[in-house]
Amino acid sequence: MVKVAVLGYGTVGSGVVEVIEKNKEMVSKKAGEELEIKYILDLREFPGDPYEEKVVHDASVIMSDPEVSIVCETMGGTTFAYNYTKAALEAGKSVCTSNKEMVAKFGPELIKMAREHGCNYLFEASVGGGIPIIRPINYSLTAEKIESITGILNGTTNYVLTKMEREGKSFDEALARAQEKGYAERNPEADVEGYDACRKIAILSSLMMGKNVDFEKIPTEGITKITPADFEYAKAAGRTIKLLARAKMIDENSLEAMVSPVMLDRENPLAMVNMVFNAILVKGNMLGEAMFYGKGAGKLATASAVVSDVIDCARHKENAIPCFWDAENAEIVDAGKHVNAYYLRVKKSAKEAVEAVLPGGKLLEIPERTEDVAYFTQPLSRNAFEKICEGLGDLVLGSLCLG
């Protein structure tokens, strides 16, 4: 019998317990032997909960128990979760986590520590919720040289943008609706400013490179500046707007990486991903493109991914599961050198000034809009585009990458 401990009995932690208990027969069969939740670590009491007798408040009880071989870290944060994860790995207990913040920050260290102590550190649930993506990159696509990964990696922002597009809502109105539905936190900064997506693309690109991609060095822009007017121009051009996290390998040591809103052509498969759904487009040099699609968050979707890692650990009790993510840092190319075409919305009075500095730009006008016009630029570097916008000053009303 495999004894499991769960650290944190919140949304995901309670989901892990529910998945294991409800699907016990099937989960145990796939694991090769019966799984049992022995401990649940939390500061709170849970009177009346069916598993209240398993709740403990002292992590040392779990770390010192030789019967516990797998720990599910669902606490979040990087303080207690980090300390408990290290203690578990040093005790030879495998750790499965949904904590993208910690994986992005300490991934190479914890993977190495697990290897040295004959156990595993797995994090399928840290990216894409219930969408299988870590395991496919590590196992299924091992014959591929992965050239790029592009994804919609945050359900909150995708929901907000979908509402803005379909219902003409402002950003604030759409965000308030997301909060009412429980899709956005009371403090949504990590989502709407792109930080959550940044950590996730750092994890994926680290696996793509086999080297560490520092999330703090990835240029990141959120969706707070997007307006209904931008969606009107997108619609007129047969496009939509999505927050994309992108990573493209330049060579074995360097990559381009960025998180930003992009005005996508409707034929792009990511343009059809709406509401809280996520999708990840992986391009291999032999396979071409493969897309992974599903719910990017939610209690049971994320918990299902954690439990899939638990099963993997149970199957590999005697050996470490390969994970190619070294501590050496990959170089992130200066974002100013990225070449892209751009959407630029300006005051209508600025047409002559814009056309003087944007040769070859395509004008887009909407008869009903009397105050502004838009242009699609030719491909140019980000530095060059920002210099043009700086020169135009307050004539600029909005801009986006085209994709």
Side-chain angles (χ1 to χ4, degrees):
M1 180 179 290
V2 177
K3 301 291 181 75
V4 179
V6 177
L7 310 185
Y9 201 42
T11 300
V12 178
S14 61
V16 168
V17 175
E18 184 176 341
V19 170
I20 290 177
E21 293 299 326
K22 281 195 173 181
N23 292 346
K24 193 161 192 173
E25 184 177 346
M26 182 271 293
V27 166
S28 297
K29 182 179 179 180
K30 291 183 177 179
E33 55 185 302
E34 186 177 350
L35 295 183
E36 179 185 294
I37 302 289
K38 184 168 185 181
Y39 299 112
I40 298 169
L41 178 71
D42 205 287
L43 293 174
R44 299 165 294 176
E45 301 287 350
F46 297 89
D49 187 277
Y51 307 105
E52 65 175 309
E53 77 283 355
K54 299 180 184 290
V55 175
V56 297
H57 309 300
D58 183 357
S60 65
V61 172
I62 295 169
M63 305 309 165
S64 62
D65 189 338
E67 285 194 339
V68 174
S69 60
I70 302 173
V71 172
C72 299
E73 186 277 297
T74 59
M75 301 174 67
T78 58
T79 305
F80 291 110
Y82 174 69
N83 293 333
Y84 294 158
T85 295
K86 282 183 64 177
L89 295 174
E90 287 170 350
K93 305 178 191 297
S94 292
V95 176
C96 308
T97 185
S98 59
N99 189 340
K100 66 232 170 216
E101 185 179 0
M102 192 161 71
V103 176
K105 191 170 185 179
F106 300 110
E109 174 191 346
L110 297 174
I111 291 166
K112 181 182 178 184
M113 186 178 294
R115 193 180 297 128
E116 290 172 346
H117 290 85
C119 53
N120 288 291
Y121 181 65
L122 302 184
F123 43 91
E124 180 64 68
S126 66
V127 180
I131 304 171
I133 184 61
I134 305 295
R135 197 171 282 106
I137 290 176
N138 274 339
Y139 304 163
S140 307
L141 299 176
T142 49
E144 290 290 322
K145 178 182 179 182
I146 297 176
E147 298 177 335
S148 66
I149 299 174
T150 305
I152 295 171
L153 299 178
N154 184 273
T156 299
T157 50
N158 208 42
Y159 177 88
V160 168
L161 292 173
T162 300
K163 284 293 180 182
M164 291 179 70
E165 179 178 40
R166 291 181 177 177
E167 300 176 15
K169 292 183 180 296
S170 69
F171 167 78
D172 289 335
E173 291 170 335
L175 176 60
R177 182 62 176 152
Q179 289 170 321
E180 289 170 13
K181 298 280 286 185
Y183 298 145
E185 302 289 343
R186 181 171 295 179
N187 179 2
E189 182 183 16
D191 295 320
V192 300
E193 295 293 353
Y195 306 145
D196 176 78
C198 175
R199 293 187 179 99
K200 292 172 180 175
I201 196 62
I203 293 168
L204 294 179
S205 53
S206 294
L207 297 174
M208 175 180 76
M209 299 292 294
K211 298 181 179 181
N212 189 54
V213 176
D214 186 347
F215 70 93
E216 293 183 339
K217 295 181 180 178
I218 296 177
T220 300
E221 179 186 349
I223 64 169
T224 56
K225 296 177 183 177
I226 306 298
T227 68
D230 297 320
F231 274 105
E232 286 188 49
Y233 281 105
K235 181 179 179 181
R239 292 174 175 266
T240 187
I241 300 171
K242 300 293 180 184
L243 181 70
L244 297 188
R246 297 173 285 174
K248 179 182 178 182
M249 182 184 285
I250 303 302
D251 55 41
E252 292 183 358
N253 299 307
S254 62
L255 75 159
E256 289 182 359
M258 180 176 287
V259 176
S260 68
V262 176
M263 190 176 280
L264 278 180
D265 189 285
R266 284 285 180 187
E267 293 185 2
N268 188 305
L270 294 173
M272 297 178 283
V273 180
N274 293 307
M275 303 302 281
V276 295
F277 282 85
N278 285 193
I280 303 151
L281 201 61
V282 179
K283 184 180 179 183
N285 67 330
M286 297 296 162
L287 171 69
E289 291 185 334
M291 189 165 86
F292 300 80
Y293 170 84
K295 285 189 175 180
K299 174 180 177 176
L300 295 180
T302 304
S304 176
V306 175
V307 176
S308 74
D309 280 345
V310 172
I311 293 170
D312 225 1
C313 288
R315 286 172 171 172
H316 297 84
K317 286 190 293 185
E318 305 302 324
N319 59 296
I321 299 169
C323 182
F324 303 99
W325 182 353
D326 295 334
E328 180 186 354
N329 282 326
E331 179 189 355
I332 300 175
V333 174
D334 178 8
K337 298 178 181 178
H338 293 190
V339 174
N340 225 97
Y342 290 89
Y343 151 87
L344 177 66
R345 183 166 62 90
V346 298
K347 294 177 181 178
K348 204 155 195 171
S349 60
K351 285 175 67 174
E352 288 186 9
V354 172
E355 289 167 7
V357 294
L358 271 182
K362 179 184 175 183
L363 175 64
L364 183 63
E365 292 187 275
I366 299 175
E368 295 79 14
R369 298 198 61 83
T370 59
E371 300 298 321
D372 55 28
V373 295
Y375 289 87
F376 288 170
T377 75
Q378 295 292 315
L380 68 165
S381 72
R382 185 181 180 91
N383 280 341
F385 179 71
E386 288 181 348
K387 187 174 181 180
I388 288 169
C389 291
E390 185 180 335
L392 293 170
D394 61 6
L395 295 174
V396 176
L397 300 175
S399 64
L400 292 165
C401 285
L402 294 180

